[in-house]
Amino acid sequence: MQSPLRIAIIGQSNFAADVLELLLEKNYNIVGVFTIPNKGTREDILATTAKQYGIPVFKFASWRRKGEVLPEVLQQYKSVQANLNVLPYCSQFIPMEVIDAAHFGSICYHPSILPKHRGASAISWTLIEGDEAAGFSIFWADDGLDTGPLLLQKQCLVEPTDTLDILYKRFLYPEGVKSMAKAVDMVAEGKAPKIPQAEVGASYDAAMFKEQNHYIDFKQTAEGMWNFIRGLDSVPGALAVVVHEDGSEEKIRFFGAHLYTDGPVTGPKSLTLKGLKFPAYIHDRGLLLQGIDGKFVNIRRLKRGSKMINACDWFAECHKSQISNFSKDELDKRDLLANIWHSILKCPIEAETDFFAAGAGSMDVVRLVEECKDALDVPLDNEQVFMAPVFEEFFCEIIRSLRQDSSAVHGRIHYDGFVLQANKREISVPTQLFINGEFLDAEERKTLDVINPANEELLCKVACASHSDIDKAVQAAHKAFYGSWRQVSARQRGQLMLKLADLIEEYKEELATIESVDSGAVYTLALKTHIGMSIDAWRYFAGWCDKIQGNTIPVNPARPNNVLTFTKKEPIGVVGLITPWNYPLMMLSWKMAACIAAGNTCLIKPAQTCPLTALKFAELTVKAGFPPGVINVVPGTGSEAGQAVSDHKLIRKLGFTGSTPIGKEVMRSCANSNLKKCSLELGGKSPLVIFADCDFDKAVKYGVSSVFFNKGENCIAAGRLFVEDRIHDEFVRRVLRDVRSMTIGDPLNRSTAHGPQNHRAHFEKLIEFCRRGINEGAKLVYGGRPVPNTKGYFFQPTIFTDVEDHMFIAQEESFGPIMIISKFHGSDVESVMRRANRTEYGLASGVFTRDISKALQFADNIEAGTVFVNVYNKTDVAAPFGGFKQSGFGKDLGQEALNEYLKTKCVTIEY
């Protein structure tokens, strides 16, 4: 080579810009860049890139007029004295006077294996005709159209998942850029061949930028339709015409097609398409088209006008209300939004301006989303830009979101409910089922009575879910799990949970008031524990969302190959939760926060006696922005709604807290239905052993709270106290003093320490429990009966002593404010431990002693999931919670709780 190359790049787009930069990396001399004029003030990236390197840039709207080269254009081209023209991607017709002016010629990129698929739509036709291989050619430009001699070709197999866009990005673009540089190398080395194109197999295909060529031919096989659709995906989209019931017609475009082999669809709705012999069907995974061979192609996305929608949402979009009545403030936001678009696109913004047609790329989407969040304070994600790329539609989506958010902030989410007037507040409380993001009446408008346990008066009637309602909630959760929830990243999931925790904190006084009136919890305790620990749970598990990970495992490979084995932690799917009445919101949060953090969707059946905080919580999930169907709240009876949850075959995990007898039935139903995973937190009879060498004041304090905390409705309540004989009488005396001073009454009164029991059936059970204790010979020291002359389910704090191991009250759980005290002799430590274990329950336990060896011996030998030493009821959201034996299995709280809602997948790769 006598002189170095002087290269002119003629073209446009990112492809050409990447070729330019690669040639510069190889130290080639780029003497000029020739590209298209600006669109408004937006410059093509090739021009922008060339300017960064100080390369002269020329922008021509046209190179010729009436078939003749424009003299001024030719003169400017010749001014750079190029001896090689490189055309990486060029949409303009370049005259032969320019092509032939370069001494070493002109090399051009074409995205097909020439001579097949000549013309401007080569990639589309590669897919439309079902070619097994795709590729590109770099050829010497001549006076024909893609007919010049070949310099270099590369090809790849066409994958079933390829679309025009995917094929270009996967192979034609990256390999094409590298091959353009390689072609220049070959020219520089004098090794570039000129291989004449064969005429055998040559074809010239119609240009797919003409709308008349976009219409899909329905008179072909399903495979033929699929190939046509993916050949126009993502630009411009295969065109079809919907014929509406009134005879009117509407153009739509198809995207995201695949051959459908998934069996019958459930509940499809038909759609009439012009030219299609058979009805098209909208179902929960898209739009089905039947080919002449009887097979089907499924379409995932549709474009109506300029707006992209999920095909399954066709009928929902048809009924979606249009926005036209904008307020002055909203119109001001329109101007602000137009300014944001203008700053990004650098062109005038009209109602029909298309963000992407105006030249925006992926980074522009990120910028638009972030600037809209800052300027308009609107929740927004990248997907919404792609689904509404036209300015006016995008503006309407912004306003729709702002109106919804404003309604949420001001408590105007639509539901039927009642206004609770209590605690100097007026609180709006939903009373309907919450399914798929909406509050709905139960089937046949069935209801449950919700009674205020403090005065036995009817608070309200709440919707009572039927089998059909449970199925509706499960289907919503199932659809969300495989749809919208999968689009939410782990980190975004955590952000949603944190926002929900913030809302629970913002509404904590309202929630504590509802909890107090609905369940009988003392307000101050509800505020601190019921609501406070709920907030803690959501925040704790939010932090876990993006830290759930598997492991790599060293395994024994089959030499000489290597093996990589790793595990993945994945969500289980739809989870059913059934929670008790003692801590309504806290039990919901303990289970649901871990469930959601793990990536599942769920439905919860709260206790039928106190479902109100769960329904108020449902309202907050909408305000937090959870997608519809992710969280569903379905009050109902255990016999119908609870049983339906246990039996449903789409539920893959059930989390239950309740009594041991019901837990056994739940476990049986889980096995019989679909062998669903279950975790059970059941009854307890937790022993508390108090040695004489304890800190006595502390032992009395915690001994009282271990039993009477939350009026005894506490799953880890100390069901039986073993007190060393040397301190027994003084311990009883001190406990009596504390109990007699305990304030019993209105749970909303700040001085109240002991509120009403939750409901009448439980209230009457406590009366019977005490009667049996007396009849068996235990000594009733205090209480044992309802508070006299008081309306409501108020039961006196009760103390039994001289309780023997064989007695009913020593073996069974009261779940109420009843202290059971037995003596033991301090010389026989092993004996008291055996007595403490002599029960079928094993939820919690406690010991008070200053002797560390005794404490550790107790912790080693006690059969309980939780052991408290010199403290009691000290739970934390980071500490795992769950029992042994007939207290159930599985854990709430802590990292271990996540395992209840995850499945482990093992992947092994040989290489």
Side-chain angles (χ1 to χ4, degrees), residues 587 591 656-658 679-683 715 843 881-882 887 889 892:
M587 290 291 99
K591 293 186 184 301
F656 174 81
T657 295
S679 55
L680 306 173
E681 198 259 279
L682 307 176
C715 51
L843 188 56
F881 181 94
S887 287
F889 52 84
D892 290 324

Side-chain angles (χ1 to χ4, degrees), residues 8 24 71 126 135 157 172 239 262 265 281 291 294 309 341 453 455 480 487 606 612 626 664 710 753 768 781-782 786:
L24 289 172
T126 297
L157 293 176
L172 300 177
L239 194 56
D262 200 16
V265 298
Y281 292 104
I309 65 169
W341 275 51
N455 57 23
Q487 308 308 312
L612 298 184
F626 277 82
K664 291 178 180 179
N710 200 49
E768 174 60 19
V781 177
Y782 186 83

Side-chain angles (χ1 to χ4, degrees), residues 1 64 108 159 165 212 238 251 267 284 304 350 354 358 377 417 549 621 746 834 860 885:
M1 183 106 18
R64 63 179 188 165
C108 186
E159 300 292 342
D165 200 37
Q212 64 264 32
K251 293 179 182 179
D284 61 357
R304 306 184 69 179
E350 307 293 341
D354 186 298
D377 192 26
Q549 55 197 23
T621 67
D746 180 4
R834 283 195 300 272
D860 286 344
K885 299 188 288 190

Side-chain angles (χ1 to χ4, degrees), residues 78-224:
K78 288 184 175 181
S79 70
V80 302
Q81 299 179 15
N83 56 22
L84 176 67
N85 293 329
V86 175
L87 285 70
Y89 173 82
C90 186
S91 63
Q92 297 174 307
F93 189 92
I94 310 303
M96 289 308 297
E97 289 85 348
V98 174
I99 295 294
D100 292 339
H103 174 73
F104 295 108
S106 301
I107 60 172
C108 186
Y109 172 90
H110 184 76
S112 80
I113 307 170
L114 291 173
K116 194 172 185 181
H117 302 313
R118 293 168 177 162
S121 303
I123 312 175
S124 294
W125 284 100
T126 297
L127 293 168
I128 290 170
E129 293 199 348
D131 292 356
E132 293 183 358
F136 58 82
S137 305
I138 297 172
F139 68 98
W140 298 92
D142 66 357
D143 59 355
L145 191 61
D146 308 329
T147 57
L150 301 173
L151 188 159
L152 180 154
Q153 288 186 316
K154 279 193 175 182
Q155 65 181 45
C156 69
L157 293 176
V158 176
E159 300 292 342
T161 52
D162 280 336
T163 64
L164 180 150
D165 200 37
I166 293 171
L167 183 58
Y168 181 63
K169 290 178 180 177
R170 176 173 70 83
F171 180 79
L172 300 177
Y173 184 118
E175 292 301 319
V177 169
K178 289 186 284 187
S179 293
M180 285 298 289
K182 181 179 179 182
V184 172
D185 290 342
M186 294 169 73
V187 173
E189 295 166 2
K191 298 178 180 178
K194 292 186 176 181
I195 306 167
Q197 291 192 37
E199 286 305 314
V200 177
S203 65
Y204 181 80
D205 303 311
M208 297 308 292
F209 52 78
K210 297 179 180 179
E211 184 173 292
Q212 64 264 32
N213 295 330
H214 300 170
Y215 286 91
I216 185 170
D217 178 11
F218 292 116
K219 296 182 179 68
Q220 58 181 321
T221 64
E223 184 173 357

Side-chain angles (χ1 to χ4, degrees), residues 563-880:
V563 172
L564 170 64
T565 296
F566 62 91
T567 59
K568 297 176 64 182
K569 296 286 189 180
E570 298 181 350
I572 292 174
V574 179
V575 174
L577 303 173
I578 301 175
T579 49
W581 40 259
N582 58 329
Y583 293 99
L585 186 62
M586 193 176 84
M587 290 291 99
L588 174 153
S589 299
W590 279 23
K591 293 186 184 301
M592 194 185 292
C595 166
I596 295 297
N600 302 284
T601 58
C602 69
L603 66 154
I604 184 167
K605 190 206 84 65
Q608 70 184 70
T609 61
C610 48
L612 298 184
T613 42
L615 291 170
K616 189 67 178 178
F617 166 86
E619 180 185 350
L620 298 185
T621 67
V622 177
K623 296 181 180 184
F626 277 82
V630 174
I631 295 171
N632 304 273
V633 181
V634 280
T637 64
S639 59
E640 183 170 6
Q643 190 65 51
V645 172
S646 300
D647 290 341
H648 205 291
K649 288 181 169 54
L650 284 181
I651 294 177
R652 294 297 174 185
K653 160 70 201 280
L654 192 142
F656 174 81
T657 295
S659 70
T660 296
I662 299 300
K664 291 178 180 179
E665 294 301 318
V666 166
M667 190 173 178
R668 186 175 293 111
S669 296
C670 288
N672 290 339
S673 57
N674 60 345
L675 209 63
K676 62 173 63 71
K677 183 179 181 180
C678 66
S679 55
L680 306 173
E681 198 259 279
L682 307 176
K685 190 67 175 175
S686 302
L688 174 57
V689 178
I690 301 174
F691 289 97
D693 63 358
C694 67
D695 179 335
F696 189 73
D697 289 340
K698 191 176 183 182
V700 171
K701 173 188 172 184
Y702 281 104
V704 170
S705 67
S706 73
V707 175
F708 301 116
F709 185 81
N710 200 49
K711 15 90 177 205
E713 294 172 353
N714 187 25
C715 51
I716 60 170
R720 188 178 180 193
L721 277 67
F722 296 89
V723 181
E724 191 171 339
D725 52 6
R726 287 185 293 162
I727 60 170
H728 175 273
D729 293 347
E730 179 60 15
F731 180 84
V732 172
R733 187 187 70 78
R734 288 280 298 275
V735 169
L736 271 170
R737 186 189 69 182
D738 288 357
V739 167
R740 288 191 178 108
S741 64
M742 197 176 287
T743 303
I744 303 173
D746 180 4
L748 290 173
N749 190 310
R750 304 306 191 265
S751 65
T752 297
H754 189 82
Q757 307 308 135
N758 183 269
H759 55 278
R760 174 164 290 281
H762 180 57
F763 182 67
E764 291 174 350
K765 175 190 167 188
L766 295 179
I767 296 171
E768 174 60 19
F769 187 90
C770 292
R771 185 190 65 78
R772 287 194 66 168
I774 294 169
N775 290 345
E776 286 187 324
K779 181 180 179 181
L780 179 63
V781 177
Y782 186 83
R785 62 194 180 95
V787 175
N789 306 315
T790 304
K791 192 175 184 181
Y793 309 133
F794 292 94
F795 195 84
Q796 288 183 334
T798 298
I799 301 170
F800 279 100
T801 61
D802 298 339
V803 178
E804 301 295 333
D805 293 354
H806 66 274
M807 293 179 180
F808 174 83
I809 64 172
Q811 293 293 319
E812 295 300 324
E813 180 181 32
S814 70
F815 211 65
I818 302 173
M819 181 177 282
I820 309 296
I821 302 176
S822 300
K823 286 183 187 178
F824 73 93
H825 194 276
S827 64
D828 194 357
V829 175
E830 291 184 1
S831 176
V832 75
M833 290 184 187
R834 283 195 300 272
R835 294 174 68 191
N837 281 331
R838 202 173 292 154
T839 170
E840 272 300 297
Y841 299 106
L843 188 56
S845 61
V847 60
F848 278 82
T849 177
R850 284 192 172 97
D851 186 338
I852 189 64
S853 63
K854 269 194 287 192
L856 292 177
Q857 186 181 357
F858 179 85
D860 286 344
N861 288 283
I862 199 70
E863 296 172 350
T866 297
V867 181
F868 296 112
V869 178
N870 295 327
V871 73
Y872 207 87
N873 280 331
K874 186 67 175 177
T875 55
D876 188 273
V877 292

Side-chain angles (χ1 to χ4, degrees), residues 424-444:
K424 299 180 182 179
R425 295 173 178 274
E426 290 189 353
I427 305 169
S428 179
V429 184
T431 55
Q432 296 172 290
L433 309 178
F434 181 72
I435 298 175
N436 204 31
E438 296 180 316
F439 285 98
L440 308 168
D441 287 329
E443 187 179 49
E444 299 179 358

